[in-house]
Amino acid sequence: MDDQAANISLLEQLLHDDGYTQVSSTQNPQDVCALHRKNAYDLILLDLQMPVMDGFQVMEGLKTNAVDPYLPVLVLTAQPGHKLRALQAGAKDFISKPFDLIEVKTRIHNMLEVRLLYKKLENYSKELEKAVQERTAELRESEARFRSLTELASDWYWEQDENGNFTKVSGPALEMLGVRVPPLAGETAARDEPGWDEAERAELRATIAARKPFLDFVFHRTNADGSKHQFRVSGQPMFNESCRFLGYRGIGMEIVENK
């Protein structure tokens, strides 16, 4: 926009000759913000020297656009001292008066190119955020299915956080590991039951402490009446995308010998 009709006509003709088809103009600075909200311009040519409301005030009004925080302003000025102030106020570039037509076309082209790249980056960020949200939902659903299936397919199941605290326990996991922890919600505290093979239990605890996975580890327990039980356990450490340790989880089942 400009307050001089001759400058507006010159710029409009230059833009049309250069192949730009979506061009509008106004001599009233008070209309700029409303027009931008309606049309979402990729570029605003803004004269700084205008009556009633100067270009700096117009830029402050444009910054209130909540839909798009990007300020696509290319200022027009004959005052050298206004160039730095305009850039500090948020303008992306400036054109000096009187116009050099080659400079005008070059700066307009460059600024629209940057604006296009900004839009592509913005769209990519939105698509990436959407993809992350969808993937997170899928992972949560998959995790829920995994827990359900492992609990159905095993006699017991446990999860630990990164500090080794048990966050989910079913079956004799705590007894086997020989760990005393505060009771979980709705559960009684674990007791250190006798009869476990201490060498096997120490080996398993060392594997977990080293954050190593294990598959079908077999351990034994002798009951007070002399009867014996065998159990098979598998477990794995859990890590996030940044390879930070999140905790441990495992499943186990009693081995029943066929007679």
Side-chain angles (χ1 to χ4, degrees):
M1 75 146 298
D2 199 304
D3 64 329
Q4 298 182 24
N7 285 338
I8 290 178
S9 297
L10 174 63
L11 290 171
E12 284 185 332
Q13 187 61 50
L14 181 147
L15 291 168
H16 284 301
D17 291 346
D18 224 30
Y20 298 103
T21 57
Q22 303 296 321
V23 179
S24 61
S25 61
T26 180
Q27 289 182 264
N28 185 355
Q30 295 174 308
D31 293 340
V32 176
C33 293
L35 287 171
H36 182 46
R37 281 193 295 270
K38 178 182 178 181
N39 299 296
Y41 297 120
D42 290 317
L43 174 61
I44 298 174
L45 296 170
L46 180 64
D47 189 8
L48 292 179
Q49 296 290 106
M50 293 178 293
V52 183
M53 186 178 185
D54 65 25
F56 295 104
Q57 292 172 309
V58 172
M59 280 193 287
E60 288 304 311
L62 289 170
K63 291 177 184 178
T64 64
N65 185 356
V67 177
D68 186 358
Y70 187 88
L71 192 65
V73 172
L74 180 58
V75 298
L76 313 172
T77 181
Q79 303 294 326
H82 285 173
K83 295 176 182 178
L84 178 58
R85 182 185 169 193
L87 294 175
Q88 291 173 335
K92 298 299 184 287
D93 204 349
F94 58 83
I95 295 174
S96 300
K97 290 183 176 182
F99 300 138
D100 179 298
L101 297 186
I102 299 297
E103 178 190 14
V104 172
K105 290 196 291 185
T106 301
R107 290 186 183 274
I108 288 174
H109 173 80
N110 290 344
M111 186 167 166
L112 286 173
E113 191 174 59
V114 171
R115 176 59 169 156
L116 177 61
L117 292 173
Y118 179 89
K119 279 189 169 182
K120 286 184 177 180
L121 179 60
E122 185 179 36
N123 290 335
Y124 174 76
S125 297
K126 290 179 180 178
E127 291 174 1
L128 180 60
E129 182 180 0
K130 181 181 178 182
V132 168
Q133 290 175 345
E134 291 175 350
R135 182 56 178 158
T136 299
E138 290 173 359
L139 289 174
R140 286 175 178 168
E141 182 180 352
S142 177
E143 180 71 10
R145 288 198 303 267
F146 169 81
R147 288 183 178 180
S148 177
L149 289 173
T150 52
E151 291 185 20
L152 288 173
S154 61
D155 294 332
W156 45 273
Y157 174 85
W158 90 94
E159 290 185 8
Q160 294 171 279
D161 63 19
E162 59 191 53
N163 298 314
N165 299 314
F166 286 84
T167 57
K168 186 175 180 61
V169 176
S170 65
L174 299 185
E175 298 174 11
M176 186 279 298
L177 292 172
V179 179
R180 292 181 179 275
V181 296
L184 300 174
E187 297 181 3
T188 57
R191 295 176 297 169
D192 192 5
E193 298 289 344
W196 296 104
D197 185 302
E198 291 300 327
E200 292 174 347
R201 189 159 63 171
E203 180 182 351
L204 185 56
R205 286 203 301 262
T207 299
I208 292 175
R211 299 176 182 174
K212 295 180 180 179
F214 51 92
L215 178 65
D216 292 338
F217 181 91
V218 177
F219 59 95
H220 303 79
R221 178 181 181 180
T222 302
N223 299 319
D225 61 2
S227 61
K228 295 183 179 181
H229 287 156
Q230 288 189 89
F231 298 88
R232 182 168 55 240
V233 61
S234 301
Q236 66 176 11
M238 298 181 292
F239 301 90
N240 65 10
E241 294 82 356
S242 303
C243 297
R244 186 175 75 84
F245 178 66
L246 299 178
Y248 230 98
R249 66 183 171 193
I251 60 172
M253 61 190 307
E254 184 177 357
I255 301 174
V256 179
E257 295 183 356
N258 295 324
K259 295 184 180 180

